[in-house]
Amino acid sequence: MLKKLSEEKQKLILEKATDEFGRCGKADAKISRIAGAAGVSVGVIYKYYTDKDTLFHICLENSLKTLSEVLTTSGASNDAEEMLRNILASIREFSKENPSVIRMYHAITSEPDEKEAAELAAEIEGISSSLYKDWISDGIEAGTIREDASPEMSAFFFDNLLMMLHFSYALPYYRQRYRIYCGKDVDSAASEKLLEEQLVAFLKAALNPAAQQGGKP
Amino acid sequence: MLKKLSEEKQKLILEKATDEFGRCGKADAKISRIAGAAGVSVGVIYKYYTDKDTLFHICLENSLKTLSEVLTTSGASNDAEEMLRNILASIREFSKENPSVIRMYHAITSEPDEKEAAELAAEIEGISSSLYKDWISDGIEAGTIREDASPEMSAFFFDNLLMMLHFSYALPYYRQRYRIYCGKDVDSAASEKLLEEQLVAFLKAALNPAAQQGGKP
Amino acid sequence: MLKKLSEEKQKLILEKATDEFGRCGKADAKISRIAGAAGVSVGVIYKYYTDKDTLFHICLENSLKTLSEVLTTSGASNDAEEMLRNILASIREFSKENPSVIRMYHAITSEPDEKEAAELAAEIEGISSSLYKDWISDGIEAGTIREDASPEMSAFFFDNLLMMLHFSYALPYYRQRYRIYCGKDVDSAASEKLLEEQLVAFLKAALNPAAQQGGKP
Amino acid sequence: MLKKLSEEKQKLILEKATDEFGRCGKADAKISRIAGAAGVSVGVIYKYYTDKDTLFHICLENSLKTLSEVLTTSGASNDAEEMLRNILASIREFSKENPSVIRMYHAITSEPDEKEAAELAAEIEGISSSLYKDWISDGIEAGTIREDASPEMSAFFFDNLLMMLHFSYALPYYRQRYRIYCGKDVDSAASEKLLEEQLVAFLKAALNPAAQQGGKP
DNA sequence: AATGAATGAGGTTTCATTCAT
DNA sequence: TATGAATGAAACCTCATTCAT
């Protein structure tokens, strides 16, 4: 069978590779399984991607691009609470539709090689970290965030919570963990509503207790 | 040499295996390297542990036992803030001294097998989840935690933050991520102080904005 | 483009294939590289030559035809010394300009298959062997070659020396070997002159010591 | 089957590997075939020899050591003719008993990599080249070799003839070539005698025509 | 009981060969 | 007819696992 590798086929390879890497980790991923899943022969993969490592990194970059696009575009709003709700919605949808991307992210955070870890982190975390830091700095200046909050630390805590939310949607272990903590599926309608309300409240209180307070006469 | 495999030897094997798994991941860990590090022959390892997978899971269970012991014992205090500071100190010390245990924890969260993930999560997260939920429920009842907080969700967010703290101490990727967010090493003295103050403030505000507010007339 | 595979194209393929085989050896030669060098697609090569092995053998036969043509035509002279000098000049020029052909020759001498080796040898060595044998027989009869020389053996030794000369010009290993023996490059002007003088003297003495002697009263 | 790899087994591996490399060349040699021939598993070969390349080079060094030992030790005699006859006998015996070693030698001379060829040549040809050059220089000084002979060139021609003799004994192609030139098998009793007489005569005449002449009043 | 040499299945990667376009 | 993408067999090499000593 000799169908010319169309654009879609290439995309499919990357998608299946991302799945495989996300599911098994770099070391346990099998090129032959990726080829099989994408419906191509092994040789094709090596025609388009030098080797396993290269393929992994391309999947990674792709995933991260997608991920950071989602995070940065969803965060556009003047109102903090609205922005936050937008972000949560994005995370919910994205994680459900692209669990592999999140698994990829999780997989690289296991990377034991110091140097490579550093490079990846720089590439990935750079954008959102400054986004969040700026946002918090602005908030402090505007008086909407408590003035003793360190922008750096607060952004860090904030992203930590979002990160774990991603994991809770996309990784089996974390999904189960959610069930243990909250007694229901993270996918359930009940969760969707409660999680959003509670996280918004939690973060608003954490960053601006006064406003929170003010809301309750 | 007539040392039958003493208790210590077994412990040493497990320790070295945990190191290896933590450092390299399950797939890249080498049985021969574990044997070498523990000063035994490969055969011995296979005498006591059916196969690599079994060894991995025993290391895992061991790590998790250790981890949850630390968390549960360190959290004993009447005063919420003191308890929190105790926990943070535990995390800091434990993660520095037993990074492999944390790395093991992180590794299993990659577990793609739904069923196994469920079992592991149940075993691991059960204790701390109820611990935190109870503590928050008590706080709400006692009026020290805002009454609109869901104990389940709050415990979940709380543990999420602690989890990420563990990772930030123990995993290269997350250490670098911390550097990107906070501009300094997570090990540095400056970090130690700031991180604690900021996280305590963040959590206090998140859970009890009134108290926070009250502190600033 | 409506160029059917013209004669020149076919010649070009063979030439580039010979280069590739000569440079890399049969096993390491790549069909795709040959196609690239000849400016045709791989398919074309397979249209004209059943498989890699066939192509190799055709290159071989071609090379050998070329080689023996050169040797037999260059050896035409009444005077033995002049003929020898002609041959040496031919070898020098041919080996420099067609190293691939010599490398091909060298490559087949590695042929482990007894039967195939026999066929190739018959085809290749037949012409020059009888040429040299006849020439030596004539020489003996004419009294210009010592009468105790066996025409067969002498022709054999003679061709052995010429063969090694070819190798010394065309194969990296033998070029270096020459350097080790003679302290200079086989390509150098100094070599050209010295090599010719010495080899002529060596062969004249070997075949007709009397003549040689005569030169020294 | 778990027999401990004895010294003999190691030697056997090297022997079979030398056979395989000699027969097929480096590129076409198969590790699995070597393992099979030596009656060991593939893994064993990789336990003792880093990789195919390493194995090849060890075989090579081994072969060359053996070869140069034979050549240098056999050449010990005060009388030039006797020495030469000794060398010829050595070549005859060695080539018959160790054809693989000669094939190894032939295989590396195909080495297309300039740098590696240079290193190998230096290692291999160094000893015999100086041996022969010295011997010829001494001969010139002693008046037993014609004084217009260049020691370097003469040594080169001399070794060329010996080299081809080796090939003629050990390589199928060259064996057939011998048959074409001389009409009989190089192994035959008739060849043994004739070859020696003729080569001795050829070389004596080539190097010292006067002595040759003297024998014919 | 402990050892570690040997095994060999299985993964990555290459490239001769095919055949739809 | 020419193309070159796709195929997939086959080679290298690794390392979990076994078992003779």
Side-chain angles (χ1 to χ4, degrees), chain A residues 12 14 19 25-26 32 39 55 110 142 160 164-165 181 198 207 213:
Chain A
L12 189 63
L14 240 32
D19 279 1
K26 187 160 104 182
S32 58
L55 179 57
S110 300
N160 284 354
M164 289 297 279
L165 206 55
Y181 266 92
Q198 287 286 321
L207 295 172
Q213 195 57 4

Side-chain angles (χ1 to χ4, degrees), chain B residues 140-168:
Chain B
I140 293 172
E141 212 158 310
T144 57
I145 290 180
R146 66 188 157 85
E147 51 187 10
D148 63 333
S150 144
E152 289 77 22
M153 284 292 169
S154 304
F156 178 62
F157 301 148
F158 180 73
D159 195 44
N160 283 355
L161 286 165
L162 298 189
M163 224 59 254
M164 290 296 279
L165 207 53
H166 274 120
F167 296 163
S168 302

Side-chain angles (χ1 to χ4, degrees), chain B residues 168-205:
Chain B
S168 302
Y169 279 116
L171 300 173
Y173 180 89
Y174 285 98
R175 291 173 63 86
Q176 179 65 16
R177 179 172 172 273
Y178 181 92
R179 244 173 256 125
I180 290 165
Y181 268 93
C182 305
K184 52 175 86 76
D185 241 67
V186 72
D187 287 332
S188 67
S191 271
E192 181 173 332
K193 205 176 157 60
L194 183 63
L195 184 53
E196 183 168 327
E197 289 318 315
Q198 287 285 323
L199 188 52
V200 167
F202 189 91
L203 281 167
K204 278 176 73 177

Side-chain angles (χ1 to χ4, degrees), chain D residues 84-152:
Chain D
L84 182 53
R85 289 182 192 274
N86 286 348
I87 290 178
L88 295 185
S90 295
I91 290 177
R92 190 170 52 235
E93 277 157 43
F94 184 79
S95 299
K96 281 183 196 170
E97 281 164 35
N98 307 279
S100 301
V101 169
I102 305 298
R103 288 199 206 107
M104 255 335 249
Y105 176 84
H106 189 263
I108 52 150
T109 63
S110 300
E111 176 64 59
D113 180 46
E114 199 92 27
K115 203 170 149 49
E116 188 155 20
E119 280 168 25
L120 289 168
E123 186 178 349
I124 298 161
E125 309 287 348
I127 302 161
S128 47
S129 72
S130 34
L131 196 77
Y132 297 151
K133 274 187 266 186
D134 290 351
W135 171 63
I136 288 167
S137 293
D138 293 352
I140 293 172
E141 210 157 312
T144 56
I145 290 179
R146 67 186 155 85
E147 53 187 9
D148 63 332
S150 143
E152 289 78 24

Side-chain angles (χ1 to χ4, degrees), chain C residues 75-169:
Chain C
S77 169
N78 282 30
D79 180 50
E81 185 173 328
E82 195 188 313
M83 185 193 88
L84 183 53
R85 288 184 193 273
N86 285 348
I87 291 178
L88 295 186
S90 295
I91 291 177
R92 192 169 52 234
E93 276 157 44
F94 184 78
S95 299
K96 280 184 196 172
E97 278 163 38
N98 306 279
S100 301
V101 170
I102 306 299
R103 290 197 205 111
M104 279 303 275
Y105 175 84
H106 188 263
I108 47 146
T109 63
S110 299
E111 178 64 63
D113 181 47
E114 200 91 25
K115 202 168 149 50
E116 188 153 21
E119 281 169 24
L120 286 167
E123 185 178 349
I124 300 159
E125 310 288 346
I127 303 161
S128 47
S129 72
S130 34
L131 195 78
Y132 297 151
K133 273 188 268 187
D134 289 352
W135 171 61
I136 289 167
S137 293
D138 293 352
I140 293 172
E141 213 158 309
T144 56
I145 290 180
R146 66 187 155 86
E147 53 188 9
D148 63 333
S150 143
E152 289 79 22
M153 285 292 169
S154 303
F156 179 61
F157 300 148
F158 181 73
D159 195 44
N160 283 354
L161 285 165
L162 298 189
M163 223 59 255
M164 290 295 279
L165 206 55
H166 273 118
F167 296 162
S168 301
Y169 278 116

Side-chain angles (χ1 to χ4, degrees), chain A residues 64-86:
Chain A
L64 300 174
K65 214 184 306 170
T66 318
L67 184 57
S68 86
E69 263 165 35
V70 168
L71 288 180
T72 52
T73 57
S74 67
S77 170
N78 283 30
D79 180 49
E81 186 175 326
E82 196 189 313
M83 184 193 90
L84 183 54
R85 289 182 192 276
N86 286 349

